[in-house]
Each structure stands twice: as structure tokens, then as C-alpha cells.
Amino acid sequence: MQLKKDWWKFLSLLLLAYAIVRGLTIKVPDLPIIYETIRNLFYHVGMWFAMMAVLTVSFIYSLRHLKGFRRADDIVAAEAASVGLMFGLLGIATGMIWAKNTWGAYWVSDPQLNGAAVSILAYLAYFVLRGSLDELHKRGRIAAVYNIFAFVMLIVFIGILPRVAASSLHPSSTNDPGMTVAQMDDRLRTVFYPALLGWILLGIWIVQIRVRIRNMREQLDDILANES
Amino acid sequence: MYKEIFHLIRKDMLLELRQRYALNGILLYILSTVFVAYLSFGKIVEPATWNALFWIIMLFAAVNAVSKSFVQESAGRQLYYFNLAAPLSIIISKTIYNAMLMVMLSILNLLIFSLLMDHFIQDWWLFGWTIILGAIGFSSLLTMIAAIASRTNNNFSLMAVLSFPIVLPLLLTLMKASRQALEVGSSTGNNAILLVILLLSILPAILSILLFPYLWQD
């Protein structure tokens, strides 16, 4: 890694180290029910932000793929979607632990939870769709179309669902979405924002590495195919 | 362009009327699912249960009906249309045709429901608009998904897998609107929810108009 080109990777590591150390040692406000579990805020919410960031990357590269039908764009779109899926599952896992300790059950009927589950289902469907198409060219094109369609509908879903559902246990959806951030303790914020940025950068970094591995594997396959 | 769309819709209708089995299959599908629901629930007394059941059966019937949109005709004939008509006319005509089919299926679903299990509808105006807008929404969303699924080898299972996560926002909003139509005196904010449904129906239609040309070329 070079400091000039890859400064954001160092920044990500620094921010996450800061978020872990300070997130676990900081003095947190003594809120009822939540108490010390509020520290999960730095990790659980970060998963969702990282997921949305890499899924947006996937969306943008799907658009680019439809513009030029370049294989490289399709690879980025697919790898970003799979990293997004991984962050989504981690977000659900961290959320379930938190829910068990505050709301008393691993899974509660809540618009945020259902929204997350539906997003994960949609991207699992994206990979099923990819798997069922053999021809590379066709696969990239059709998967890109579904990716764009699904992403736009999911954004609408996340925007609409809290208003359609009767109530939510998540504090952010009772009024406007910015409420938690507005009410958040200043001490928490000094860890919360850096943690979010750190997770997002980490997500993009993982995508970059996975794309590179995938490219190498395909080149290797080409070389092996030519030798035999 | 309008003429092209008109002729394509006419072609789909003629095709449907000549090969009755597909249409009859869907009608029988609705009849038998409602009957299964009727037998397993007995008498439904809760409007909430009625509402959920109505829309779930509607969703499954819609997925079933729309999934054959692009596969009932042979690949050779598809190629013929490809040379004959613009991709935009094809997706628009299919969407309009499916929307009409959905309205018909909703009315039939409602008829069988009221016959077997009574109905709880208080606000017919709101319920009617919910059905019509819902038909347009289902059609514009599912037609595009059917087009995507038709490009793969296992069309039918993929159709359900691809469409359910995406159709959920529309389905939940429809359920909420029709819930309001079932309850007396809760008619506040009717128009707002109808506008949300309209938005959810128009958005996939715009997306499919933009994206369909990429699916169609081969």
C-alpha cells in the first residue's frame, strides 16, 4: 500500500481502531432498557451504512455496464452486491443480539427489520438470477437490469415502509428519520460518525480486493485454458 | 407507435381468447385457492384476516397470470416481433394488457370472496380505486420481472423469487389502503395513500420503459 494512493485505507483502519477502542471505553449516557448496549450503535448501524454504500456502488456499476457492456463493470457490480449481502447479514446478526438484550426477542416485527430482510432476499434473488444464466454477456446484461430495478424499488421501500407500518421499535422512524441523530448525545456522536465513515471505507476496500481476486482468477483460467 | 401498441394488445387478446386454457387455468386457480382458504378458515370474522387473504391470493394469481407473458410464444415468434415492433411498444402493450387482466382477476377474486366469505367493504370508492391502481402497479412491476425471468431457463420459480421482494412495498400499501376501505369512518387521508399507490405503480412502469430495450436485444 502506498500512502499517497491508498490513504483512505489507512484512514479506514484508523477510524475503525478508534471506533473499537473508544466505542468500548467511552462513558455512555445511562438510558433505560438500553444501558451499555448503546455501544452497539457504532457497529450495528455501521453495517447498514456500509451495506447501502456498496449496494450503491453495485447500482452505479450496473448502470455503467448497460452503457458500454464492459465485463469489468459487471464484475464490480456482482462483487459489490455480494459484499453488500455480507454486510446485510452482519447487520442482522448484530441487530439480533442487540434486540435480544433490549426488546427480549431475536426477531421482532418491525419495519426496519422487515426492510432489511427484504433487501437481503432481493440480492439473494439477484445471485440466483446470475447463477441461472450461463452465457457471460447475457448474464451481465440481465443481472444489471434486475439490479437497477431492485435497487430503485428497495430505496422506495425503505422510504415508504416506516410510514405504512403501524409503529416501529427503532427510535428513528417514529417521526422524521433524523430524530435519533438529533437527539444523540454529543459524546456518542464523536464515535458514531467516524465509525460510519470507517465501515463505509472498509466496505469499498473489500469490494476492491474481491474484484482484484476475481480478475486474477479469470486471467488464470484463461492461461490454463490456453495451455491445455 | 400508438397504432403498434393497439395492435399488439389486440394480438394478445385474440391469442388469449383462442387458447382458452391459459385464461381458464388462472380463473380456476383463483376459484380453488379461495375455496381452500374458505375451507381452512371457515367463516372469517376479522376484516384484517379477510384483507390479508384477499391480497395474498391476488398476489399469487397475479404472479401466475403474468409469468407466462413472454414465454407463451415460441422463440421464433419472439424474433419475429423483434423485427416487427419497437421494444417500447412491446413492453407498453404487455403492461396495459396485463393491467386489464389484473382488473378482471381482482373483480373475480372479490366476487368469489363475497360469495363464499362475505365482504366487509364500507368505502366502495376507495376499494375500487385501490383495486384499479393495484392492478396497474402489479402489472407494471410483474411484467418487467416476467421479461427478466423469461430470459432464463427456469422461468417459473425465478418469477416468484425475483418478484416477491420487489412487490412487497406495493402489496403492503395496497393492504393498508384496502384496510381503510374496510373500516367505517377511517376515511381520513384516503387520497394521500392513493397517491402513494399511484407513485408505486408509475415508478416501475418508467423503469421498465427505460430498461426493457436492454432485455429485448439478444
Side-chain angles (χ1 to χ4, degrees):
Chain A
M1 288 202 290
Q2 300 153 330
L3 194 56
K4 224 172 184 177
K5 205 172 108 226
D6 299 316
W7 57 272
W8 54 277
K9 294 175 184 168
F10 289 106
L11 182 66
S12 162
L13 288 178
L14 269 176
L15 288 174
L16 287 178
Y18 168 81
I20 289 167
V21 173
R22 209 150 134 77
L24 293 176
T25 54
I26 193 180
K27 199 171 175 314
V28 293
D30 195 19
L31 297 169
I33 304 173
I34 302 174
Y35 301 114
E36 291 288 324
T37 66
I38 189 96
R39 296 179 199 281
N40 200 1
L41 185 75
F42 312 129
Y43 315 114
H44 169 65
V45 181
M47 294 297 120
W48 297 119
F49 274 79
M51 171 175 138
M52 286 319 291
V54 290
L55 290 184
T56 309
V57 169
S58 178
F59 171 68
I60 292 168
Y61 275 85
S62 292
L63 284 175
R64 281 183 58 169
H65 181 71
L66 286 189
K67 235 178 115 192
F69 299 121
R70 274 202 311 275
R71 174 108 182 88
D73 291 335
D74 182 42
I75 289 177
V76 177
E79 294 301 331
S82 77
V83 174
L85 205 55
M86 182 200 80
F87 273 112
L89 293 175
L90 284 175
I92 285 211
T94 50
M96 278 168 97
I97 297 167
W98 200 0
K100 180 70 187 167
N101 288 295
T102 49
W103 301 331
Y106 286 114
W107 193 271
V108 288
S109 184
D110 179 272
Q112 249 87 354
L113 275 164
N114 295 336
V118 165
S119 315
I120 284 170
L121 280 180
Y123 279 90
L124 285 173
Y126 171 77
F127 285 105
V128 172
L129 177 67
R130 289 188 74 88
S132 67
L133 291 159
D134 302 325
E135 201 192 316
L136 279 183
H137 214 70
K138 197 173 165 188
R139 178 199 286 167
R141 193 155 41 87
I142 289 164
V145 168
Y146 184 71
N147 193 323
I148 294 165
F149 203 65
F151 184 80
V152 174
M153 294 314 290
L154 283 176
I155 292 292
V156 173
F157 188 42
I158 292 165
I160 267 180
L161 193 66
R163 285 158 187 81
V164 175
S167 64
S168 169
L169 291 166
H170 277 82
S172 53
S173 52
T174 43
N175 269 317
D176 58 294
M179 207 188 89
T180 33
V181 182
Q183 285 189 341
M184 200 189 287
D185 198 283
D186 276 340
R187 269 172 301 168
L188 294 181
R189 271 193 234 188
T190 58
V191 188
F192 182 63
Y193 293 131
L196 288 190
L197 185 63
W199 288 118
I200 291 172
L201 291 177
L202 182 73
I204 293 169
W205 190 3
I206 297 174
V207 172
Q208 204 190 45
I209 290 170
R210 289 191 55 130
V211 168
R212 209 179 295 148
I213 292 173
R214 178 74 166 270
N215 281 330
M216 279 182 197
R217 204 170 276 161
E218 288 199 356
Q219 281 173 12
L220 194 66
D221 283 347
D222 279 352
I223 293 168
L224 291 176
N226 285 338
E227 274 178 2
S228 61
Chain B
M1 171 105 179
Y2 294 113
K3 228 173 147 187
E4 212 170 70
I5 292 172
F6 173 77
H7 280 292
L8 283 168
I9 294 175
R10 216 185 81 133
K11 184 256 324 174
D12 274 341
M13 278 183 176
L14 276 178
L15 208 63
E16 196 80 81
L17 289 174
R18 288 201 185 138
Q19 343 170 296
R20 285 280 174 72
Y21 68 91
L23 191 62
N24 286 343
I26 264 310
L27 299 185
L28 199 58
Y29 182 87
I30 289 191
L31 187 67
S32 40
T33 37
V34 178
F35 195 64
V36 166
Y38 162 67
L39 285 182
S40 39
F41 275 88
K43 180 96 180 142
I44 294 182
V45 283
E46 282 264 304
T49 319
W50 188 93
N51 194 34
L53 214 51
F54 180 85
W55 286 105
I56 289 169
I57 290 178
M58 202 47 226
L59 171 69
F60 277 82
V63 168
N64 249 305
V66 177
S67 65
K68 61 171 181 44
S69 284
F70 292 91
V71 284
Q72 65 176 358
E73 293 171 76
S74 65
R77 198 112 58 96
Q78 299 270 9
L79 194 65
Y80 178 56
Y81 296 139
F82 174 72
N83 289 319
L84 214 57
L88 278 191
S89 325
I90 289 182
I91 186 76
I92 292 172
S93 71
K94 286 276 184 200
T95 307
I96 294 174
Y97 172 74
N98 281 332
M100 295 192 296
L101 188 68
M102 289 298 108
V103 172
M104 210 191 74
L105 293 184
S106 317
I107 293 170
L108 189 86
N109 195 8
L110 181 62
L111 274 179
I112 302 171
F113 252 77
S114 7
L115 197 70
L116 290 176
M117 294 184 280
D118 205 3
H119 68 78
F120 302 86
I121 301 164
Q122 309 282 343
D123 189 343
W124 281 96
W125 189 83
L126 177 61
F127 196 82
W129 275 112
T130 309
I131 279 187
I132 292 171
L133 291 177
I136 298 171
F138 273 144
S139 159
S140 59
L141 245 168
L142 295 175
T143 308
M144 185 61 186
I145 298 293
I148 293 175
S150 74
R151 315 305 269 161
T152 65
N153 301 327
N154 52 345
N155 173 46
F156 284 100
S157 62
L158 254 186
M159 177 77 195
V161 169
L162 293 177
S163 61
F164 284 172
I166 296 184
V167 90
L168 255 170
L170 178 68
L171 187 73
L172 291 179
T173 323
L174 285 171
M175 278 184 173
K176 184 165 167 126
S178 93
R179 213 29 228 288
Q180 283 181 4
L182 300 185
E183 285 163 356
V184 212
S186 68
S187 51
T188 45
N190 283 354
N191 296 318
I193 197 150
L194 286 180
L195 274 179
V196 174
I197 299 176
L198 190 67
L199 172 85
L200 281 175
S201 317
I202 301 274
L203 188 69
I206 296 171
L207 281 174
S208 47
I209 286 172
L210 291 175
L211 292 173
F212 185 74
Y214 293 105
L215 284 180
W216 193 237
Q217 55 179 253
D218 226 354

